[in-house]
Each structure stands twice: as structure tokens, then as C-alpha cells.
Amino acid sequence: MATALPAEQTTTQFLWLDLTRTCQLSCTHCYNESGPKGTHGAMSREDWTDVLDQAAACGISDVQFIGGEPTMHPHFAELVDRALATGLGVEVYSNLVHISPQCWTLFQRKGVSLATSYYSNKASEHDEVTRRPSHARTRANIVKALELGIPIRVGIVGDNEQRIEAAKADLESIGVSRVGTDHIREFGRASDNQQPKASGLCGGCGDGRAVIDPDGNVAPCVFSTWMSVGNVHDASLASILSGPALSKAVDSLRADWGKKDKDNDQGQNQPCTPDCVPKNPCDPRCSPNDSCRPGTPGTECRPKN
């Protein structure tokens, strides 16, 4: 791990911290194929702590702890505490299947917010996606978060618009005001063992954001982890985020999206605005930062499918 703090600032403002590929669930569309047999990777507690210190020092303002299920990482609470101590805003993307009393206390701290995924108002349909009877627990913990005053947003992921609308109505009925939707992207388990394609991305990868995976690899976003642009064990975070590899990867993705725009006969010479709702790959209401996370609302940007 490169421990020297960077002297320069970067244009990156947001980092996904992909702590672990361990998860209680094995969702059918999981973009990184997390599950009960997943591991915490090669990043130690000290490595993640160093990353948080470097992130704050080089101008990053917000991080999202994601996975897998980030609360299953053995040093999760300690790392959230460190992030807050350095002045970083924190969002935790959890499946909300099991939340310990310690985590509920942590989530109520100033500067922390929650996010989760929801697949249907019907337990059988939701559980079909997660491959475990998880609907009741997730829904009950959404309600508990609201009762405790914890900021929470919920992402609905799927390609059945009727099911999406029913799930959204259910969430709104219990008081969730921040509800976003995303279509299923063909990565991980949803890829049917096909090679990842840039055409499945939102178009904003690497634009002010990046991800660090459980082994320390840095990539433009959680969906484009096959495009590693460096590893924090080998170089400082700032040098990777400001380096030519990330710029090259972003240019490549933008070129692919420009081709997609042309192939779709959009009739425009400019790159298509990233998609933020299902079956709407060029909604002019979305800003370039509005669709980088699975199930994102159209107001800000962070995942998990």
C-alpha cells in the first residue's frame, strides 16, 4: 500500500468502497456476483483506513460503502467511523436483511445515510430475485430506518414496469420519499456468462467518481471493474485518479457511448446523456452524474444493483 498522502487535489468527488463480496443473498442480477461464499479480498483494515485518509486529503467529498453486504465486513463500523472523522460524507448501501444494534447506532450519526434495493411489493417476487426469504426483513428495516430518522433512499431494479410501479407505490405508502429505478444491467450474474460490454453502462463512468474493489483495484465505476486503472497497493490514490490510465478508460467509454448514440439514430453529434430510468437511455432531465448507481434517484449518484 502506498501510504504517502497525496499533495495534489483530484477532480474525483465520489468513491465507492467495495468492501467485500460476502453477502447473505445471491441476487440473480448481482453485478459483481457476491454471495455467501464471497470473500473480503486482499485489502486489510489498515489499507482501507489509508484509502480513506488519502481520499479526504485529495479532495473527495463522499464515499459509499458497498459490496456484497458491507456490514458483513469485520471492520465495517471502524471504517465508517474513520470516514466521518476525516470529514467524508458516508452512504451505506445495505440489503437491510440483518442490521445489528451497533449498526443502527452508527447509521444515526450525522453525515451517514442509507440506501437499499427493493424488487417488488410482493414477497414472492422480491425473494425470487434475492434467492432467500428476505422481503419481510428488508421492508421492516426500511420502516425502522424511517422511524429513526435515518436518511434513506431505495432503488427498484427490474425491467417489468408494472412491477416497478407497484413497488414504488408500496415504498411511498410507508413514507419513503427517495425512490429511484434502474433497469437490469448485463454484468455479473445478469450477463449470462458473456463478456462485459460498455454499451450496458450509464455513460458517466469515471466522471468525478471511481471504485476501489476488495483487492485494491481502482476502476471507473462499480459496473466497469474489468477496466482496472491501477491498484492502491502500488500507487497513491491521487496518482491513480489523476493518471493517464483512468483518462484513457473514460475516453474509451465515452467513445463507445458516442457510437451507441449514433447506432441508436439519435440524430445528435453530442454524447447521449446517461440513462436514469428504465428503457429511457437519453432522458434530458438527467445530469451526467444522475445514473451511476443501480436504482439511483434522478437527484444524485451512488449504487447497488
Side-chain angles (χ1 to χ4, degrees):
M1 169 68 69
T3 56
L5 292 178
E8 72 272 25
Q9 299 287 291
T10 75
T11 59
T12 303
Q13 294 294 306
F14 173 79
L15 274 183
W16 290 282
L17 303 180
D18 185 359
L19 291 185
T20 180
R21 297 295 163 80
T22 302
C23 186
Q24 306 99 324
L25 310 179
S26 299
C27 295
T28 56
H29 62 276
C30 182
Y31 63 91
N32 63 24
E33 302 186 75
S34 293
K37 294 183 180 181
T39 73
H40 303 312
M43 289 285 283
S44 67
R45 175 183 60 185
E46 292 75 20
D47 291 337
W48 282 118
T49 298
D50 193 26
V51 160
L52 289 167
D53 291 345
Q54 290 189 56
C58 69
I60 288 167
S61 58
D62 295 277
V63 296
Q64 184 192 75
F65 291 94
I66 191 171
E69 172 53 36
T71 63
M72 294 183 74
H73 191 279
H75 305 299
F76 167 72
E78 184 178 349
L79 294 174
V80 172
D81 183 70
R82 185 59 166 256
L84 294 172
T86 62
L88 293 165
V90 171
E91 183 178 66
V92 178
Y93 208 119
S94 168
N95 57 39
L96 295 184
V97 170
H98 175 73
I99 303 299
S100 68
Q102 179 189 27
C103 282
W104 281 123
T105 299
L106 189 67
F107 295 159
Q108 293 178 74
R109 291 183 60 182
K110 184 178 180 181
V112 179
S113 63
L114 274 177
T116 193
S117 295
Y118 197 67
Y119 304 110
S120 176
N121 59 311
K122 297 179 180 179
S124 60
E125 293 177 346
H126 179 98
D127 296 347
E128 183 180 2
V129 174
T130 65
R131 295 176 174 173
R132 286 197 64 184
S134 60
H135 179 269
R137 290 185 179 184
T138 295
R139 192 178 188 277
N141 282 327
I142 292 172
V143 171
K144 183 170 182 175
L146 292 168
E147 291 174 345
L148 292 172
I150 299 168
I152 185 170
R153 65 179 182 86
V154 181
I156 306 170
V157 183
D159 290 322
N160 183 314
E161 293 185 21
Q162 185 175 2
R163 182 184 294 187
I164 288 172
E165 288 305 313
K168 183 177 181 181
D170 182 34
L171 291 166
E172 291 175 343
S173 75
I174 60 176
V176 181
S177 60
R178 300 175 62 202
V179 180
T181 60
D182 192 15
H183 59 80
I184 294 174
R185 300 184 184 273
E186 296 180 351
F187 301 102
R189 290 198 188 97
S191 70
D192 196 25
N193 295 317
Q194 300 299 309
Q195 291 294 318
K197 297 179 181 178
S199 60
L201 300 169
C202 76
C205 306
D207 181 12
R209 66 196 74 110
V211 62
I212 303 173
D213 77 7
D215 291 321
N217 295 305
V218 181
C221 77
V222 292
F223 292 118
S224 58
T225 51
W226 78 90
M227 302 183 72
S228 177
V229 298
N231 189 294
V232 294
H233 288 111
D234 305 322
S236 71
L237 180 61
S239 67
I240 296 172
L241 297 178
S242 302
L246 180 58
S247 295
K248 184 177 179 180
V250 171
D251 289 344
S252 173
L253 291 171
R254 286 176 177 169
D256 286 340
W257 255 81
K259 181 178 183 299
K260 177 180 177 181
D261 186 27
K262 183 177 180 180
D263 291 344
N264 286 341
D265 195 26
Q266 298 286 344
Q268 301 173 0
N269 294 323
Q270 297 180 353
C272 178
T273 306
D275 55 316
C276 67
V277 292
K279 305 184 187 306
N280 193 1
C282 207
D283 188 334
R285 296 171 299 176
C286 305
S287 76
N289 290 332
D290 279 351
S291 62
C292 67
R293 61 187 174 209
T296 182
T299 54
E300 53 183 316
C301 185
R302 301 158 198 173
K304 176 187 177 210
N305 245 13

